Amino acid sequence: MKTLLIIISCLIPFLLFGQTDNKGTFKVRKINNTEVITFVEEMPTFPGGENALMQFLSDNIQYPDSAKANSITGTVFVSFIIDAEGNVTNAKVLRGVNKLLDDEALRVVRMLPKWIPGKQGGINVAVYYHFPVKFILK
């Protein structure tokens, strides 16, 4: 019985979040009357690819002095929407480390240039995007 409860509790997230519409896309919700999708046929891409994105983050992140002084490190998980025009919107911290690092991660994400938008059925769509921003002291 205990094993069955563990299995059921592990499946609940898939039942709640794994429902799809008739197009096979994973709907999340509407924001400002715009449908935002989690997975699409063509995911949004940063101009120049993933290496260019990592370089952009590396060039623009400024480790907060107070965080350095207190040896605060960790990974801030950020979520945002790349709209149908490729703009980065609705940036927020999904899981933070410390207010200083969280704020810096958001500052840099909000600076991101336009992306190549995601597509579903050949049409540009708004897509949720998540990634970690790592803060490491050398």
Side-chain angles (χ1 to χ4, degrees):
M1 185 65 167
K2 189 175 181 180
T3 306
L4 181 60
L5 288 175
I6 293 171
I7 291 171
I8 291 172
S9 65
C10 290
L11 292 176
I12 288 174
F14 294 106
L15 297 173
L16 294 175
F17 299 110
Q19 298 178 2
T20 63
D21 66 4
N22 59 359
K23 298 176 200 165
T25 59
F26 287 81
K27 286 188 182 180
V28 176
R29 64 179 173 211
K30 284 193 175 195
I31 295 180
N32 300 329
N33 288 329
T34 301
E35 185 177 277
V36 182
I37 304 171
T38 328
F39 300 104
V40 291
E41 293 168 354
E42 292 180 46
M43 289 297 286
T45 53
F46 187 80
E50 192 172 314
N51 289 336
L53 172 59
M54 294 304 126
Q55 188 63 51
F56 179 90
L57 295 173
S58 175
D59 291 345
N60 291 286
I61 288 178
Q62 298 169 0
Y63 214 114
D65 291 333
S66 185
K68 279 184 195 176
N70 291 301
S71 299
I72 300 171
T73 63
T75 303
V76 178
F77 290 88
V78 181
S79 170
F80 53 93
I81 296 170
I82 300 167
D83 68 17
E85 288 79 42
N87 300 305
V88 175
T89 65
N90 296 68
K92 65 181 178 181
V93 172
L94 289 178
R95 189 176 75 189
V97 174
N98 172 281
K99 181 159 175 40
L100 294 167
L101 300 184
D102 299 351
D103 289 348
E104 180 59 14
L106 281 177
R107 183 188 71 79
V108 173
V109 165
R110 289 178 178 139
M111 290 174 51
L112 289 168
K114 270 191 169 187
W115 289 48
I116 299 164
K119 292 185 179 197
Q120 184 69 24
I123 299 169
N124 291 359
V125 293
V127 180
Y128 270 110
Y129 203 90
H130 314 303
F131 68 76
V133 179
K134 295 182 181 184
F135 291 87
I136 303 167
L137 290 172
K138 294 181 182 179

